[in-house]
Amino acid sequence: MAEEKILKINNLKKYFSLGKNRMLKAVDDVTFHINKGETFGLVGESGCGKSTIGRTIMGLYQKTAGNVLFSNNNVHELTDKELFILQRQMQMIFQDPYASLNPRSTVREIISEPMEVHQLYKRKKEQNEKVYQLLEEVGLNREHANRYPHEFSGGQRQRIGIARALALDPDFIIADEPISALDVSVQAQVVNLLKELQEEKGLTFLFIAHDLSMVKQISDRIGVMYLGRLVELTSSETLYEQPLHPYTQALLSAIPIPDPDVEASRERIILQGELPSPVNPPSGCVFRTRCPFAMEICGKEKPEWKEAGDNHFVACHLFHDEVKNEKAKMPTVNIK
Ligand code: SF4
């Protein structure tokens, strides 16, 4: 049976005008879908456009071109009222649990706020019961409801943020760098909590992160972004076993392996230079200024988005028929 696509993003562009005909191309022609019940990881360096995609999906940013279909609703063609109703089904968890919780509100007020905005409960008692239920679901307890955010650790605050995101019983959650601000020891706990909640509630996640190691643990499929564009997309296993795009290979080679023998024998791909400006991206392939395998064609033509294997998509000239011979020259890099 075909999988149900809960979210479809088609040729999405989001440009920000900087005046004087200057455009910041934060998201440039991105296409992917997310199946109901899966976790789709979106990774890349800061400033690559992944958070902009999250906010554009939510309708918080207008699109420049393309479209976003959530449960077959064209998000950017809805009226404000229709979008407000649809947003009940899509919620966000933010990166910084310190900044995203109002320090002057109690945990009860923070978690109740979306229920009040959407007038979910007529009686306060029912609303309070829902707050207690949510607190328990995220590993806190009802006694925490009357406390303030500063009384909690970073991990607990992120649990409060997760409880708030669940308050409207959404189908789809965009988790925007939800563990980046947390200690490494706490990151795994939050990832495990998200996995448990997904199983219990049948949630669908878009998990945005710059750390490929954590994304692997939670994602079914992963899309890799560079400078506003998707450069590779496949299942989590395939991406780690057979990364094709040189940028993905570089990201994976930077993940330390906790085995000193393997770590000593593996090669690292060190990216040269800085991430170019999205205001003035390189011609052709946007990765060419840092790519160790760049060829003449890479500066002239934008590589097409092609299926290079079973459900394995990549945008790189190395995988185009006409330059397959060049591919043979691509050094094999031992990154495992
Ligand atoms: Fe490197 Fe060229 Fe492939 Fe871009 S298209 S990743 S520059 S080989």
Side-chain angles (χ1 to χ4, degrees):
M1 201 172 76
E3 285 172 292
E4 184 185 341
K5 296 181 173 90
I6 195 169
L7 180 80
K8 293 182 228 167
I9 293 181
N10 301 309
N11 305 104
L12 184 68
K13 295 183 181 180
K14 176 63 196 169
Y15 297 171
F16 295 95
S17 171
L18 302 179
K20 294 186 182 164
N21 296 328
R22 291 172 76 231
M23 283 289 175
L24 189 154
K25 296 182 176 179
V27 178
D28 201 10
D29 206 7
V30 166
T31 296
F32 67 94
H33 70 268
I34 302 183
N35 295 317
K36 194 168 171 48
E38 81 167 337
T39 296
F40 186 94
L42 199 54
V43 294
E45 288 163 283
S46 296
C48 72
K50 50 197 193 307
S51 294
T52 304
I53 288 185
R55 285 172 166 78
T56 312
I57 291 170
M58 290 291 292
L60 303 176
Y61 289 154
Q62 271 305 322
K63 59 163 193 184
T64 302
N67 60 49
V68 174
L69 299 172
F70 179 77
S71 293
N72 292 323
N73 295 285
N74 193 328
V75 169
H76 299 102
E77 288 184 1
L78 300 176
T79 62
D80 289 350
K81 191 174 172 201
E82 288 168 337
L83 182 60
F84 176 73
I85 293 167
L86 191 73
Q87 282 171 340
R88 265 182 67 171
Q89 295 171 43
M90 324 189 252
Q91 291 291 303
M92 282 191 90
I93 301 169
F94 296 96
Q95 173 179 5
D96 187 352
Y98 299 89
S100 63
L101 306 179
N102 184 345
R104 291 191 192 84
S105 298
T106 63
V107 169
R108 183 194 310 281
E109 288 163 346
I110 289 168
I111 299 175
S112 301
E113 191 190 359
M115 300 184 225
E116 286 179 1
V117 169
H118 285 267
Q119 298 177 341
L120 228 54
Y121 296 99
K122 289 201 179 75
R123 294 207 200 130
K124 212 64 174 176
K125 188 167 177 285
E126 286 174 33
Q127 187 170 292
N128 281 332
E129 281 307 320
K130 180 70 178 179
V131 170
Y132 300 145
Q133 179 202 323
L134 289 165
L135 283 171
E136 278 160 18
E137 281 177 358
V138 299
L140 298 170
N141 60 57
R142 58 174 61 207
E143 283 75 47
H144 291 131
N146 293 326
R147 297 197 197 162
Y148 289 85
H150 73 267
E151 298 177 62
F152 295 89
S153 66
Q156 287 175 317
R157 286 188 223 201
Q158 195 52 293
R159 286 172 191 266
I160 297 166
I162 293 168
R164 180 177 57 187
L166 294 172
L168 301 175
D169 292 321
D171 300 316
F172 175 58
I173 291 185
I174 298 174
D176 188 0
E177 303 256 13
I179 54 172
S180 308
L182 304 176
D183 288 347
V184 175
S185 58
V186 181
Q187 288 183 350
Q189 294 170 16
V190 172
V191 164
N192 289 338
L193 172 65
L194 292 173
K195 277 165 131 176
E196 283 165 26
L197 291 167
Q198 179 172 44
E199 228 159 80
E200 278 166 30
K201 295 173 182 285
L203 294 166
T204 305
F205 280 114
L206 171 59
F207 192 93
I208 296 171
H210 62 268
D211 179 353
L212 256 170
S213 57
M214 248 338 149
V215 169
K216 183 189 182 204
Q217 290 195 29
I218 194 166
S219 304
D220 298 297
R221 290 183 303 138
I222 297 176
V224 180
M225 280 192 78
Y226 185 82
L227 213 64
R229 296 188 188 164
L230 260 186
V231 297
E232 186 160 5
L233 191 164
T234 186
S235 68
S236 175
E237 293 80 32
T238 306
L239 194 84
Y240 283 79
E241 292 299 320
Q242 292 174 305
L244 296 180
H245 198 281
Y247 179 57
T248 313
Q249 294 186 355
L251 288 182
L252 284 168
S253 83
I255 300 175
I257 291 179
D259 177 332
D261 293 336
V262 178
E263 187 66 16
S265 64
R266 69 202 281 257
E267 292 172 48
R268 284 195 194 283
I269 303 172
I270 310 291
L271 289 181
Q272 304 297 325
E274 297 291 319
L275 190 69
S277 166
V279 178
N280 190 18
S283 61
C285 172
V286 286
F287 186 57
R288 73 178 166 81
T289 53
R290 300 168 82 192
C291 179
F293 314 117
M295 305 166 281
E296 201 181 333
I297 189 175
C298 304
K300 293 182 182 157
E301 289 178 25
K302 178 182 161 184
E304 276 179 50
W305 184 241
K306 280 203 167 180
E307 190 166 9
D310 196 17
N311 283 317
H312 191 166
F313 297 86
V314 66
C316 174
H317 287 301
L318 289 168
F319 302 96
H320 287 196
D321 293 339
E322 59 275 23
V323 285
K324 280 266 171 71
N325 291 338
E326 291 289 334
K327 182 185 167 191
K329 295 178 197 161
M330 182 176 174
T332 309
V333 180
N334 170 22
I335 56 170
K336 293 193 193 125

